[in-house]
Amino acid sequence: MRLLLACWRAAVTVQSPLMVVQLAAGLADDGFTWSNLGRHLVTALLVWGTLGLLWAALVGAWLRRRSRTAGLPFSERALDDRQTHLLRPAEVSDGWQRRTRDRLTSSDRAFLIAGKGEEEVRFLWRPGRRADHSVHGSLSFDAAAGTVLVDLREGDHHLGVAGLRKGTSYVAMCQVARALELRGTAAG
């Protein structure tokens, strides 16, 4: 429910300029009177509020499906600018860190990959179609525990999930988890 409300607030924020334009256009057509203002204001709030709620429900369902296919925990934090999850490789055996790095470098969504020793890799991830929309990410390996700490944070030029201007790093987290064959842990 919290995620639905957060998505609804984001949708209303994005749609509010359109609502104001519609209100001003209706008042320009009908003439400015207090009764016209009240009527147009109530109509605009009902229409745009309902559309925002429907849009939020669709975005919430889409994010839930994404998290389920990636094996990540799903909560109201899905719209946060920064996503940090402790993930486990599907197969923990000798050389799993190297295989994870190789999957990252072979992905067409990852670029500007730089390693800091054997324990950490920094990269940019393109969650959408456009190359100038990317998130900053890092992988930190814990060989003893067999886990990877994936930290993603939004960069610039993001429209977010379905134009909400939020949720890009969660979508990227789901994509990274699937591409690198990582799964959520109980602590992540």
Side-chain angles (χ1 to χ4, degrees), residues 4-156:
L4 179 66
L5 290 176
C7 288
W8 181 74
R9 281 192 302 272
V12 167
T13 301
V14 170
Q15 294 170 350
S16 61
L18 296 172
M19 184 179 75
V20 170
V21 167
Q22 179 194 14
L23 181 66
L27 287 175
D29 288 344
D30 296 341
F32 181 80
T33 64
W34 290 110
S35 64
N36 283 344
L37 176 64
R39 183 171 47 85
H40 284 289
L41 189 60
V42 168
T43 302
L45 289 174
L46 285 174
V47 167
W48 287 103
T50 304
L51 286 176
L53 190 60
L54 290 172
W55 196 257
L58 288 173
V59 168
W62 185 74
L63 283 173
R64 184 174 303 278
R65 186 178 139 269
R66 280 267 181 165
S67 70
R68 191 173 39 248
T69 59
L72 292 176
F74 185 69
S75 70
E76 66 272 2
R77 295 181 353 188
L79 294 180
D80 290 351
D81 292 344
R82 187 174 193 160
Q83 296 290 323
T84 304
H85 291 274
L86 188 62
L87 305 176
R88 187 173 308 282
E91 177 186 328
V92 179
S93 61
D94 289 339
W96 66 269
Q97 295 106 324
R98 172 61 44 208
R99 284 192 303 275
T100 303
R101 279 190 190 88
D102 291 344
R103 286 184 191 114
L104 178 69
T105 56
S106 66
S107 173
D108 60 343
R109 292 183 178 273
F111 58 100
L112 295 178
I113 302 167
K116 286 187 167 183
E118 291 295 313
E119 294 83 27
E120 186 175 7
V121 177
R122 295 191 177 276
F123 59 95
L124 292 177
W125 186 269
R126 182 181 44 84
R129 291 183 181 97
R130 295 185 51 176
D132 61 340
H133 296 188
S134 61
V135 296
H136 304 275
S138 69
L139 302 175
S140 300
F141 298 98
D142 185 353
T147 58
V148 180
L149 181 66
V150 182
D151 183 19
L152 297 176
R153 59 192 186 289
E154 290 185 6
D156 297 327

